[in-house]
Amino acid sequence: MKLYCLSGHPTLPCNVLKFKSTTIMLDCGLDMTSTLNFLPLPLVQSPRLSKLPGWVLKDGNTFLDKELKECSGHVFVDSVPEFCLPETELLDLSTVDVILISNYHCMMALPYITEYTGFTGTVYATEPTVQIGRLLMEELVNFIERVPKAQSASLWKNKEVQRLLPAPLKDAVEVSTWRRCYTMPEVNSALSKIQLVGYSQKIELFGAVQVTPLSSGYALGSSNWIIQSHYEKVSYVSGSSLLTTHPQAMDQASLKNSDVLILTGLTQIPTANPDGMVGEFCSNLAMTVRNGGNVLVPCYPSGVIYDLLECLYQYIDSAGLSNVPFYFISPVANSSLEFSQIFAEWLCHNKQTKVYLPEPPFPHAELIQTNKLKHYPSIHGDFSNDFKQPCVVFTGHPSLRFGDVVHFMELWGKSSLNTVIFTEPDFSYLEALAPYQPLAMKCVYCPIDTRLNFIQVSKLLKEVQPLHVVCPEQYTQPPPTQSHRTDLMIDCQPPAMSYRRAEVLTLPFKRRYEKIEIMPELADSLVPLEIKPGISLATVSAVLHTKDNKHVLQPPPKPAQPPASKKRKRVSDDAPECKPLKPLLSGSIPMDQFVQTLEKHGFSDVKVEDTAKGHIVLLQEAETLIQIEEDSTHIICDNDETLRVKLRDLVLKFLQKF
Amino acid sequence: MWREPWGGRLSSPPVPGAKARTAGLRGACGSAKKTRCIMDRECSQLLPSVCAVLADSRQLVADDTFLEKFLDWFKTLTETESSLLLLQENPCLTELITCVLKLKDPSSSTLSFILRLTGIFAASESCFQYLQQRELLISLFGEVGPLSSALWEEASVRSGWVQGVHSMVQHQSALHFLCSCGAIEVIFTLQGDPSLFVASAANQLLVHMLTFSLQSFQTKPENIKDCDWPICAQKLIVHIEESLKSNSASRIKQSLKLLTSVFGCCHDLWTEVLWSRLSEPIVYLLEEEPVHAGHSLVDLFLSMARSPVFSCPECSLWTSVTCALEHLNPAQVGRLAVGVLKLQECPQAVKIQALSVLLQPMDCVLKAASQPLEYPGLLNRSVNDSATVETLLSCRSSCASLLCQTLTHLEELQYLTCLPVDLPHIPLLQSVVTILQFCIGLATPASCLGNKISRILIGCFRVQRSALDILGALSHWESPSVFIGSVFDILLAYLKSPDTSPTVLKKSFQATLKWLVSLSEAPSSKDHWQQTEQFLQDLFLVLQKRLCSPYWEVRDSALEFLTLLVKHLREKEGFRQVLFSSEVPKLTEDLLEDPESYVRASAVTAMGQLSFLTHLISKKPGVENGNVKEKSIVAQLKEILSTDSEGFPRRAVISVFIDWLREGHPDVLKDTEQFVSSVLQAVNSDLDWEVKAGGLELAEVFSAQLLGRLGLAACPYAAVLSSATRSTHLSESLQIFCQVKLFEFLFGALCDCDRPVAQKACDILIALKAELCDESSLKEGTSAGLSTEARGIAWLEETLRRWSSCAKPCPRGDADEAGSQDPNGVLLVLRTVDLEGLHRSLNRSSDHIEKSPQSLLQDILATVGTLEENEADCY
């Protein structure tokens, strides 16, 4: 059993598991942090960005000044943003049989895999994952395609050139494999390969393994996966949460008794408690608005935003913010808000019960109804007519490199009354803000990551008790910035196996059994012999038939009836085959009784020596040695076959035959 | 709930008969019967019926609290009257005992009652003899009595037996009786009774028997073994000794508990003899591995250490205490250490050792987070084996509790007026800061133990709370700047952290306040001011955020903290500057409209304090609209007082107004009469008794201030006014009282259905009467023909009714007409109403009539009657 690790990002995993005869890809996350190296794509012409000076090498060479721009001491690529794909060279991705998706954030690289690698298999995901994943992809494509950029930078990717660049460009990995965003036709084609599944549904893969999605509690439709054969069980835990937020609660019990547990997608900010962060978010929002400032919340169009809106729904009246407009701007804002209300079966218990009242499960419906929350596909059109300040704007993209958020950063960045509140943990807020410097607006970092923290992981592992844990290497050591926090790592016995990008792990786990079925007629013919109470044995002669990874013992083909005239010949031909099979022996030889028997049969000078594996019986007079071990007995005598047979028969008296 | 504002101040039960008090206004004096503790004729007549009921096994007394009250009554009776006479005059009592003894199947509650009743009577020696002659005592307390019956299985019967014996042991005859009838062995058995109540009562009984039997031994006998101690005492001591030497943990604990009580309640010289006899087995207990009954040993040593008998430095007790400090588990020994440190008389060496015991866990923590030689540590040498402490600290189950205990004990020491040993407060401060750093993952572990402690403590609220408590307590020591800096850093970390729980946040605020107040009061405050100012700037930024928190508890804590901060530091110019350059005052004002009533109440209190400062600030150029804003705050608070639907904010407003009046708030001083008048009018219609009580306090302050200002207050140092001047001032003050409608308010409150309100109103009126209705005014009044007789009761009633209707809020413009009180009429009313009588009647609790023994006896009979009726109903 092998695990091919194609992504180094612990929360955007992409691993391939080879298990029995199947090749299963576990998630295909897209690492978008590469976009932080690019200049933002403004929706409206930005004089500030267009006037940024080109970057000049120390020796005055200007050949890169068209591709690289300098802003407040940082260098950015002036080109269409590109993404860092999962590793494609480690194994032939066309051999992947299935892709299992655990949540909508972990499928963003799907079009690159399904459309470019010769993939012919099936993708499995839950319905909300597919629908919201589609929205995220649509939004991403829309953000990038609506601001066409003629220029495509490639000079800087040259290894020799890259070496000369300042950090972080200098240290960016595998820049040559970075790719532009996919297109909508590619998205549609990729999504068409998905087969929808429900929680606890058992899916047979070629008869070899069975895969089952389980609720993971992190997002709408998010799943962990069980991959099991008859005797082996691998659990894949990716992006799970034990907090009571909107999704259905995590199913922990089904993860029990795993041979291997692959653990990814833990919280990215283990020191930030989501509850505390929501409090921070609300306090900072209220303070800004009370002082007449605007609040910008860069976010994804689905996920934590639902919880934030619910929290604000309860808070705005008490904080005196009833008259402050909340805007949600995204090409998929409307679909996202509406989708959230229709996936009742995927929601937590409280929200499910609301549907039967009937009430919308999320209170943002009421916010929309009372005009407190307004949503728009973009800043153009209706929004510009309705726009009132001070206000709160939720919009993407959290990287601040594309989407409507770029416009608001440019618009509000100059005033210290305004605040940008980062709630998505995927991007370093300082790096995200770098091309906007110098910035007067206040920045608040309130990352809300509801995924498992290390305390919860420790409890989970104690509960489900897997034999082996496999996880990204980042989880096996304290965070680099807090090396003394040994509580921020996985602590389990035996220690977790770690992986990094482009590594192949041989999982510490050997398959010992295989299930074989016996045809009824063959079973009928067996004559079991009880060798000890409760255990019977029988010898079987059969043909092993294997098809679709299923093994069946069938009765051996009956020899064709030979013509009578040839009877004699047949007898002579088959004579060796008809030789009765030697019976199988079992049992152990009690030494005292054996010695007594030997003495009874005239062997007077019997000596017994204990060895590491058993005993040696010495018959000194007969110059014979009987070596008795757990699984073999040897009689060593000097060419005296009669003696040997006699001794053999004495040994056999103590053993059972069948 | 997270907090209990106004804890326990629930509305008092309405006084039965506010109407009756109105009757009192007409001059009727309360004439309720005095509670009687004697056996009067009525009771003697009722008693035989009650005894008959109690002796009848078919007639169960449903409510056994009656029996308790019955016993209490007899206890009081026997203390004041002759028990023997009581029995002789009321033969039904002896008959009752005899009857119950004869009952085949008495109820357990009746039997228990009889045992206790008999014990109460037998406390008197003559009565004891009387009962003994009738063989009642032996039948009840001897082996043939309840002891051998099936009812002995009932804990209530055993408890009654023990209590009966306890009451009886007041004379030597009782002791002889108990020794001879084998009762002592029964008591020994009952020490280990499955019912904790019985076991505890048996233990207390043994303590009583021992101290009682030895109370005559005031001098130290020459030879302990041959001393002529009473047999009973000897039996007891042998029993204790045997128990201490037994291997039974429960017996050892019982004996230690017994000794703890003996040494705690009796400080006679014989206790020293007792200790010298028992010290050996006790010290032996300390040397066992592991030590059993550690907590009981600590209790014993603390009890002994507090006794003057053992205070001498040469006493062997101190050797045992030293041994205990060394041998007991660190988790148990902390209580002993802190107890020793609190003692006045104790050898210095023991105190030093006790302090070392307390400091050892702190030392371990400090070392776990710092490189060797970085800090000198807390201890010069380790007294105990530090390995034990380290083991406890590295274990999840014991680490937090050991640290919490140690921190609490060390905090207790901070409040001692005179600490007997030198406390290394700087390293202690460092170790507390280190613990707090560990708790939020800021400390860098320097050892394996440090790693373990770090993992255990991160996010441990219990330890955070205890550490913040002691951090606050350590503020009274003078500390160098560098340590103040580290304290400010850790406090800010806790105040800023979104993960700080509301309770920990509250503790952080408390500690912050203590440090700021201590630093501002310290002689070196100027040296630290720059550091403090920077801290205050950061603090107000945090406070600003906390005031906007979505959690009401957090907003509330922040406001309470702000209130206290302003109260203590408002004299500091620098503080005021930092405060008013922040958004905090504006946010506080916004919170007057918070949806949560507790928060509104706290915002009101905070604004009450802030408004003193806005006045100071407004005098300076550059601050806008100080006056205008201040006026609006008064108006806002008045609006809350008259319109807020919740009681808490209204109570807060009235408290603020009282403070303003008392401290001479500039806005109140502008027109005090108008202010008081409007507030009283608003309060008068309030249904909350606390708001009303607040209004009364305001009225009291106002009247005292006015009388004082006019030189009329009863102050021994005030200049004596001439009678003419006094008379003028009196009429002036009376005039003002009438203008603000003070008497309408007070008489209205006097009729209030809440007793505390009526009581307070009555007190104020009595005080005013004393000031205003002196002899001269009385004469004046009479000469003017204004006697009560002249006006009649009808006039009084009519006047009060009119005042009552006038006191209610009326439309603007009608106020003058409504407030047309006639000062002379007021004086007349004050003189006419029997305020003193009312005062007496109000001071009685509402159930004073029901408490009389006669009522009790009638109740017992009535209950039985009801039971019978119910029985009849069933058929």
Side-chain angles (χ1 to χ4, degrees), chain A residues 271-273 275-280 282-284 286-287 290-291 311 315 317-319 482 484-487 489 491, chain B residues 440-445 451 454-455 458 496 498-499 544-545 547-551 555 583 586-587 590-591 594-595:
Chain A
T271 50
N273 170 9
D275 277 340
M277 285 299 146
V278 169
E280 285 283 293
C282 291
S283 309
N284 284 296
M287 274 197 314
R290 278 181 176 172
N291 288 331
C311 182
Y315 178 64
D317 287 335
S318 72
Q482 289 166 297
H484 65 283
R485 293 290 300 266
T486 51
D487 57 315
M489 56 186 271
D491 181 24
Chain B
I440 50 170
L442 290 179
T444 313
N451 272 325
S454 170
R455 291 181 78 104
I458 286 175
K496 270 184 191 167
D499 292 341
Q544 213 169 303
K545 204 165 66 184
L547 289 174
C548 294
S549 166
Y551 311 111
R555 300 198 295 275
E583 297 287 325
K586 186 177 170 291
L587 284 171
D590 289 351
L591 289 174
D594 197 278

Side-chain angles (χ1 to χ4, degrees), chain A residues 490-511:
Chain A
I490 291 179
D491 181 24
C492 64
Q493 281 307 324
M497 281 186 78
S498 68
Y499 67 78
R500 61 172 74 173
R501 188 180 167 105
E503 205 168 52
V504 182
L505 290 189
T506 304
L507 298 181
F509 159 65
K510 279 185 186 163
R511 293 185 48 225

Side-chain angles (χ1 to χ4, degrees), chain B residues 372-383:
Chain B
L373 305 177
E374 191 179 347
Y375 292 116
L378 278 150
L379 300 169
N380 294 333
R381 64 185 178 88
S382 186
V383 262

